[in-house]
């Protein structure tokens, strides 16, 4: 599983002219699932996203999590995180999970974050989405459950 996490002042996703999800100060999370991912991968990504200390404390040090600052999350499923461009110029998405599996894990990710008391906005799975955000910092972190030490 992969997640691209951006610290944002605000973010929103629009589908067919309608805002389907948004967040104020918090995290924009692009979420991708690979073939073979398990509940262990999901737990790793959820724990990391919620616990990432990428918000500044009173001394200006990145020391606070999204929960610590009362932030929100906008979660968008994105299979293109598994685009493989090593051969040729057109990405292959063979390593991305099948849509039914990916959507199930995406929904579980959203619910796990909500269970931690966080407000979570969402995109629409498999829809063409327009995503707008104001990245604060900029701060962008890439998480990959296969990169566990």
């Amino acid at each position: 599983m992969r997640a691209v996490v951006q610290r944002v002042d605000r973010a929103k996703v629009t589908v067919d002219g309608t805002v389907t999800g948004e967040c104020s100060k918090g995290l924009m999370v692009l979420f991708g699932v690979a073939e073979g991912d398990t509940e262990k991968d999901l737990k790793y990504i959820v724990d990391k996203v919620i616990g990432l200390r990428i918000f500044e404390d009173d001394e200006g040090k990145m020391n606070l999590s999204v929960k610590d600052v009362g932030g929100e999350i906008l979660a968008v499923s994105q299979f293109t995180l598994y685009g493989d461009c090593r051969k040729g110029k057109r990405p292959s998405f063979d390593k991305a999970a099948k849509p039914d599996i990916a959507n199930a894990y995406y929904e579980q990710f959203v619910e796990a974050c909500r269970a931690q008391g966080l407000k979570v906005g969402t995109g629409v799975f498999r829809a063409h989405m327009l995503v707008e955000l104001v990245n604060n910092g900029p701060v962008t972190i890439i998480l990959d459950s296969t990169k566990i030490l």
Side-chain angles (χ1 to χ4, degrees):
M1 237 166 252
R2 290 181 180 159
V4 175
V5 182
Q6 295 179 293
R7 184 177 73 183
V8 298
D9 284 342
R10 65 184 176 279
K12 71 177 179 178
V13 62
T14 305
V15 177
D16 296 327
T18 302
V19 175
T20 63
E22 58 190 330
C23 74
S24 57
K25 178 181 180 179
L27 301 175
M28 170 72 208
V29 179
L30 303 175
F31 180 83
V33 180
E35 281 292 330
D37 279 345
T38 67
E39 295 291 327
K40 181 179 176 185
D41 296 284
L42 178 65
K43 181 177 177 359
Y44 174 83
I45 294 294
V46 169
D47 290 346
K48 283 291 186 179
V49 167
I50 292 172
L52 273 178
R53 298 186 320 171
I54 59 174
F55 293 89
E56 295 174 351
D57 62 18
D58 292 337
E59 297 174 8
K61 183 176 181 180
M62 282 192 208
N63 205 23
L64 302 173
S65 71
V66 66
K67 283 183 71 172
D68 294 333
V69 300
E72 301 173 354
I73 293 176
L74 177 59
V76 174
S77 178
Q78 189 166 12
F79 77 96
T80 61
L81 294 181
Y82 280 96
D84 185 347
C85 299
R86 290 178 291 178
K87 293 181 181 177
K89 307 268 186 198
R90 183 173 180 268
S92 166
F93 300 105
D94 291 344
K95 296 206 186 287
K98 301 290 184 247
D100 57 333
I101 294 169
N103 189 39
Y105 277 124
Y106 170 64
E107 293 294 334
Q108 288 177 53
F109 172 78
V110 169
E111 289 308 314
C113 292
R114 287 179 177 156
Q116 292 292 317
L118 292 163
K119 178 182 174 193
V120 182
T122 63
V124 176
F125 190 81
R126 295 190 84 180
H128 179 85
M129 296 174 270
L130 299 176
V131 179
E132 298 176 56
L133 61 101
V134 176
N135 188 325
N136 182 312
V139 174
T140 302
I141 305 294
I142 300 170
L143 301 174
D144 187 326
S145 63
T146 65
K147 305 288 187 204
I148 300 170
L149 295 178

